[in-house]
Amino acid sequence: MRLLIFLICFLTTVPCFSKTASSLIADTRLLARDPSSVGRVRYSDTQILAFLNEAQGDAISTTLCIEKQYSFETVSGTTYYSMPDSFITVKRLISDDQRLDEKSPTKLDKEAAEWETVTGTPINFFINFSSRAKIGFYPVPDSTSSTTTISMEYYANADDMTSSSTPFNGITEFAAFHNMLSYYAAAQMLYIDGLVNMADRYMQRYIYFKEVFKGSCKARPSYMPKINMSPNR
């Protein structure tokens, strides 16, 4: 994997190291042939930053490379709980010391017609498609003895960048993939300008690097579950 990341850095047309959004804006201008040095640019920094944030949002939402933790207390009589603004979906949820599985409202409908009125200590959680930013629990806690502490690991969106921000919430191990955001942004600019062939080439690079990013962010080189640690005999 490290060799693959090195090849990505070698093959890109801009240096491969940690960058700020401001640096990526300059890189994007070079790729899209809109350098600020000419004194009359077609796109403002604000417009290019919007394309870079769009790329970052796409990269994270399709790879789920950022994870966060969130804890809260359930409240008697309360079914739904708002999630953080960065929330995409749950990875793992613990209620006190018990892991809860997700069940869809459709599945719960099939198991019990009046499940929404059942009270007690939660054994499942669910997310309604109409309110994706909230989590509900079944049964609904109805007393202090059935409320619990929820510890949740979830897949998160990256924070929108300002010009001084580092992509992907500044996570160091993702630095090798900062440049791919410029390929996406440059492609959007070129599509607008009608330069479809060049835009397609940049977009293909972005898509390729995004796939590598997806594999890289989940890789754990030191994790070897099948290794035999028993002493030699």
Side-chain angles (χ1 to χ4, degrees):
M1 183 60 69
R2 289 182 179 179
L3 177 60
L4 185 55
I5 293 175
F6 170 79
L7 289 175
I8 290 174
C9 296
F10 179 77
L11 292 172
T12 53
T13 57
V14 288
C16 189
F17 48 81
S18 181
K19 294 192 171 186
T20 63
S22 181
S23 296
L24 293 176
I25 289 172
D27 292 340
T28 301
R29 289 194 184 281
L30 290 175
L31 291 169
R33 300 179 182 179
D34 190 28
S36 56
S37 59
V38 301
R40 188 178 180 182
V41 297
R42 303 190 307 279
Y43 296 89
S44 69
D45 287 358
T46 300
Q47 289 171 317
I48 297 176
L49 180 61
F51 288 137
L52 291 170
N53 276 316
E54 188 176 296
Q56 178 183 244
D58 172 76
I60 295 303
S61 65
T62 56
T63 62
L64 301 178
C65 278
I66 294 181
E67 299 176 14
K68 290 185 177 182
Q69 294 182 329
Y70 180 59
S71 298
F72 60 94
E73 305 288 331
T74 57
V75 178
S76 177
T78 301
T79 303
Y80 294 96
Y81 299 82
S82 297
M83 294 295 98
D85 291 340
S86 61
F87 176 81
I88 296 178
T89 189
V90 176
K91 178 185 179 184
R92 186 168 180 264
L93 189 147
I94 302 293
S95 175
D96 285 345
D97 295 324
Q98 179 182 358
R99 177 172 177 173
L100 302 190
D101 292 324
E102 181 178 4
K103 282 190 177 180
S104 69
T106 301
K107 177 70 173 177
L108 291 168
D109 282 340
K110 293 179 180 178
E111 293 182 356
E114 299 180 353
W115 62 270
E116 292 175 286
T117 63
V118 177
T119 59
T121 302
I123 58 175
N124 293 115
F125 72 91
F126 62 92
I127 299 176
N128 277 321
F129 290 140
S130 60
S131 57
R132 294 175 185 269
K134 292 184 177 182
I135 283 181
F137 291 98
Y138 165 78
V140 179
D142 63 340
S143 66
T144 55
S145 62
S146 60
T147 57
T148 60
T149 299
I150 303 297
S151 299
M152 182 179 70
E153 298 172 17
Y154 69 96
Y155 296 110
N157 286 304
D159 300 330
D160 278 348
M161 294 180 287
T162 64
S163 60
S164 60
S165 300
T166 302
F168 308 128
N169 290 1
I171 297 174
T172 304
E173 64 185 280
F174 297 166
F177 298 95
H178 289 178
N179 291 331
M180 73 177 184
L181 304 181
S182 289
Y183 285 117
Y184 178 100
Q188 298 299 342
M189 293 163 65
L190 292 167
Y191 281 131
I192 293 172
D193 290 342
L195 301 174
V196 176
N197 289 337
M198 184 179 293
D200 282 346
R201 288 198 297 271
Y202 285 159
M203 189 58 70
Q204 288 167 6
R205 286 191 179 189
Y206 165 74
I207 292 171
Y208 170 74
F209 293 144
K210 185 174 68 171
E211 284 301 308
V212 178
F213 178 49
K214 182 177 182 178
S216 173
C217 78
K218 303 296 182 183
R220 292 294 178 266
S222 61
Y223 178 58
M224 297 176 287
K226 295 183 179 180
I227 191 170
N228 184 359
M229 298 299 292
S230 59
N232 293 330
R233 297 184 182 277

